[in-house]
Amino acid sequence: SFRVWVDRVESDAMALLNRLNKLMGSIISKVTDGNGYVDYLAAAEDEKYFTFEENVCELQGVSMASMDDKTKLAFGINLYNLMIKYAFIKLGTPDSDLARDSFFSNVSINIGGDVLSFKGLENGILRGNKRPPYALSAPFSKGDPRLKLALPKVDPRIHFALNCGAKSCPPVKKFTVDAIEEELRIVALAFCEQSDNVIVDDDKCELHLSTILNWYQSDFAESKSALPKAVVNYLRGDSKEKLQKMIESKKDIKVKFTKYDWGTNALKSKTYSSNFLQA
C-alpha cells in the first residue's frame, strides 16, 4: 500500500484500470531497450511512478463483488498483468522457486477491501477457487468472504492471457468487457500457433505442449490423454489438420510438456525478497 484512499473513486472500474495501464505503459516504454528488456530500477525513478503509486490506491474503492462475470473476467486479467509490472518495479523479480512461491502467494493488493495475492486473483477468482499447481488446498477456505468474488467456472483460455512476467508466458494484451470472448479466442490461437508452446509431430504421433497445460490440465481436460481433443480447438491450418487426423486415427497420442522458461524481461531490477513486503 502507498496510502489509504479516501478520495473520489472512478465509477467505471475498467476505465480506472485503463488509466492505470496507460500510466504504467508510459513509464515502462521509456526504460525498455530495443530488445524488449526493461530497466525496472530506472522505472522506479521515473517522474510518473509516484503518480502511478498514488493513483493505484484508488483500487481500494473498487468492488469486484458488484461486477458481472464478463466484467470480472476482463478486469481480473488486466489487473493481474498490470500488478505484475508494478510488483517488479516496487519489489523486484524473484530468482528462485522459493522466491517465486513467496512472490505469487504474498504480494497482494487491496481491491475494495479484499486483499488479493496473485494466486488469489488467478486461482481464487478467475479459476473459480480451484487449487493452484502443487498446492494442497484452494486459495479461499470455507467462510472466506472473498469466496463471493470467485467466478462460477473457469475459462481455460485465461492461461493464454495471464502474464506472470516469465518469458514462457503469453504476451500482455488488453481485454475489454464487450469483446472478451473474441479477445480470448484470438490469444488462444496466437499462443498455440507458436512452436514454443505447441508442436504437432504426426510422424511420431506426439503432441508437445507448454508446461502451462500441464499445471492447469484440469481446466482444459479431464486427463492428460484428453488434452489433444481440447488443444485442437485452439489450432488452425496445418497443425489443426494434423492433430485432428491423429485424433481420428484412434492411435495413442503421446503428450509431452516443454521446459518452462522462468527468465524475465528485466534488464535491471531488484531481486525480490519477502523482506520487502509491507502492509
Side-chain angles (χ1 to χ4, degrees), residues 91-214:
L91 301 170
T93 54
D95 63 354
S96 68
D97 290 341
L98 191 63
R100 280 188 285 273
D101 182 65
S102 172
F103 182 90
F104 293 110
S105 299
N106 298 317
V107 176
S108 305
I109 185 163
N110 181 335
I111 306 295
D114 294 303
V115 178
L116 301 169
S117 67
F118 288 114
K119 283 187 177 180
L121 181 55
E122 177 181 10
N123 301 286
I125 297 178
L126 297 177
R127 295 184 66 229
N129 202 39
K130 294 182 71 174
R131 181 174 59 85
Y134 309 114
L136 298 176
S137 60
F140 306 149
S141 58
K142 184 178 180 181
D144 191 320
R146 295 173 297 178
L147 273 172
K148 67 182 181 295
L149 305 178
L151 287 170
K153 64 178 182 178
V154 59
D155 185 326
R157 297 173 300 178
I158 64 169
H159 302 299
F160 307 132
L162 295 171
N163 183 296
C164 72
K167 289 182 177 178
S168 287
C169 282
V172 174
K173 300 294 182 181
K174 177 184 174 182
F175 296 89
T176 63
V177 176
D178 292 339
I180 185 67
E181 281 295 322
E182 177 65 8
E183 289 159 353
L184 287 174
R185 186 188 72 84
I186 290 172
V187 295
L189 291 172
F191 183 86
C192 291
E193 72 181 8
Q194 298 297 316
S195 59
D196 288 343
N197 303 321
V198 177
I199 297 176
V200 180
D201 189 336
D202 53 347
D203 291 332
K204 296 182 180 179
C205 203
E206 291 180 352
L207 178 62
H208 298 250
L209 299 174
S210 163
T211 297
I212 291 173
L213 281 90
N214 182 28

Side-chain angles (χ1 to χ4, degrees), residues 21-134:
N21 263 310
K22 185 176 181 180
L23 190 54
M24 175 60 74
S26 69
I27 296 169
I28 294 294
S29 64
K30 287 189 285 186
V31 295
T32 302
D33 69 13
N35 296 314
Y37 287 94
V38 180
D39 185 342
Y40 288 104
L41 296 179
E45 301 300 322
D46 188 278
E47 60 183 1
K48 291 185 179 180
Y49 180 63
F50 177 89
T51 303
F52 177 87
E53 287 220 283
E54 176 89 9
N55 290 357
V56 79
C57 295
E58 191 173 342
L59 290 169
Q60 295 168 23
V62 170
S63 171
M64 290 189 73
S66 63
M67 297 177 183
D68 60 43
D69 290 347
K70 286 177 65 175
T71 303
K72 194 179 295 180
L73 179 61
F75 180 86
I77 294 171
N78 290 334
L79 176 67
Y80 184 99
N81 293 340
L82 173 65
M83 290 300 107
I84 287 288
K85 296 175 185 176
Y86 180 30
F88 275 12
I89 298 173
K90 190 175 184 68
L91 301 170
T93 54
D95 63 354
S96 68
D97 290 341
L98 191 63
R100 280 188 285 273
D101 182 65
S102 172
F103 182 90
F104 293 110
S105 299
N106 298 317
V107 176
S108 305
I109 185 163
N110 181 335
I111 306 295
D114 294 303
V115 178
L116 301 169
S117 67
F118 288 114
K119 283 187 177 180
L121 181 55
E122 177 181 10
N123 301 286
I125 297 178
L126 297 177
R127 295 184 66 229
N129 202 39
K130 294 182 71 174
R131 181 174 59 85
Y134 309 114

